[in-house]
Amino acid sequence: HDALPICCASISDNQGNLKFYTNGVSVWNRNGDVMPNGVNLDGHQSSSQSAIIIPKPGSTTIFYIFTTDAGAYENPPNNGIHYSIVDMTKEKSMGDVVKKNVQLIATACEKISAVYSSNGKDVWVVSHGWQNNFFYSWLVTADGVSSKPIVSRTGSLYEGGYSTEGNAIGCMKISPDGKKIASAIYEEKFFELYDFDDSTGIVSNPQSIQLP
């Protein structure tokens, strides 16, 4: 794919010094060099939210990169949600991808967001399936990424679109207080607003917001 990346992610330390960045396919260190194992992640540079970086709770050196593939309209078909692990103690503190492309769900939209849980330490990572109305919430703790997500069946089916399967496109964001989720349905041009429970990871109470 020759297009410029649509979505990128970066992360810095608490002084604002860059650690690394990614487009969901490759991972670059702070000097702009690709990490030794930092290629062929299962994101896509044409995905709305190709990557999001989550620090491992309790660690200053381990980071998770969650990736979303482009929608089912792309070839090859959508490969879903994965995560990879960056260890910043490797390569003389320049970082290395020590685990790559652990699959979480097989098909998904191009949407992913994250917020702290109610305990202020753990992190919820939330995405949405394709051709269903399932939200998936994974809890990231000091022990790692939960093996089974919390699944909420709510809202409209995310499928189809006028010209292609373009309703997979569009961003999703969780409010900073962890109480609301907004999700864009690209081709049919509407949003859905939901309640989010940052204690349980459950999504509920869908409301449709139509654009003019």
Side-chain angles (χ1 to χ4, degrees), residues 67-85:
T67 58
T68 70
D69 194 11
Y73 53 85
E74 278 285 354
N75 187 22
N78 179 272
N79 289 315
I81 307 296
H82 295 76
Y83 73 87
S84 300
I85 302 175

Side-chain angles (χ1 to χ4, degrees), residues 8-28:
C8 300
S10 63
I11 195 160
S12 303
D13 63 20
N14 55 13
Q15 280 80 46
N17 300 305
L18 179 66
K19 287 182 176 290
F20 65 92
Y21 57 100
T22 179
N23 62 356
V25 180
S26 299
V27 186
W28 291 267

Side-chain angles (χ1 to χ4, degrees), residues 2-159:
D2 295 327
L4 292 173
I6 290 174
C7 180
C8 300
S10 63
I11 195 160
S12 303
D13 63 20
N14 55 13
Q15 280 80 46
N17 300 305
L18 179 66
K19 287 182 176 290
F20 65 92
Y21 57 100
T22 179
N23 62 356
V25 180
S26 299
V27 186
W28 291 267
N29 65 27
R30 61 181 178 268
N31 289 339
D33 299 319
V34 176
M35 290 184 182
N37 296 306
V39 294
N40 297 324
L41 274 66
D42 275 340
H44 196 292
Q45 58 186 5
S46 190
S47 174
S48 303
Q49 293 177 292
S50 181
I52 188 169
I53 301 168
I54 305 298
K56 184 178 182 180
S59 174
T60 59
T61 59
I62 301 296
F63 298 85
Y64 298 99
I65 302 175
F66 290 83
T67 58
T68 70
D69 194 11
Y73 53 85
E74 278 285 354
N75 187 22
N78 179 272
N79 289 315
I81 307 296
H82 295 76
Y83 73 87
S84 300
I85 302 175
V86 172
D87 185 343
M88 291 303 297
T89 67
K90 303 294 185 180
E91 299 295 318
K92 299 180 180 179
S93 298
M94 297 300 289
D96 195 5
V97 181
V98 295
K99 195 169 190 177
K100 192 156 53 178
N101 295 332
V102 179
Q103 189 175 72
L104 293 173
I105 54 174
T107 57
C109 296
E110 300 178 9
K111 308 174 191 297
I112 197 163
S113 191
V115 71
Y116 279 110
S117 75
S118 58
N119 66 15
K121 297 178 182 178
D122 301 330
V123 178
W124 289 107
V125 175
V126 183
S127 190
H128 197 287
W130 178 240
Q131 294 183 322
N132 61 38
N133 63 344
F134 294 176
F135 280 89
Y136 299 89
S137 302
W138 293 272
L139 190 62
V140 183
T141 71
D143 294 326
V145 180
S146 56
S147 59
K148 292 185 178 180
I150 302 299
V151 180
S152 303
R153 186 173 182 175
T154 185
S156 65
L157 294 177
Y158 285 19
E159 61 180 356

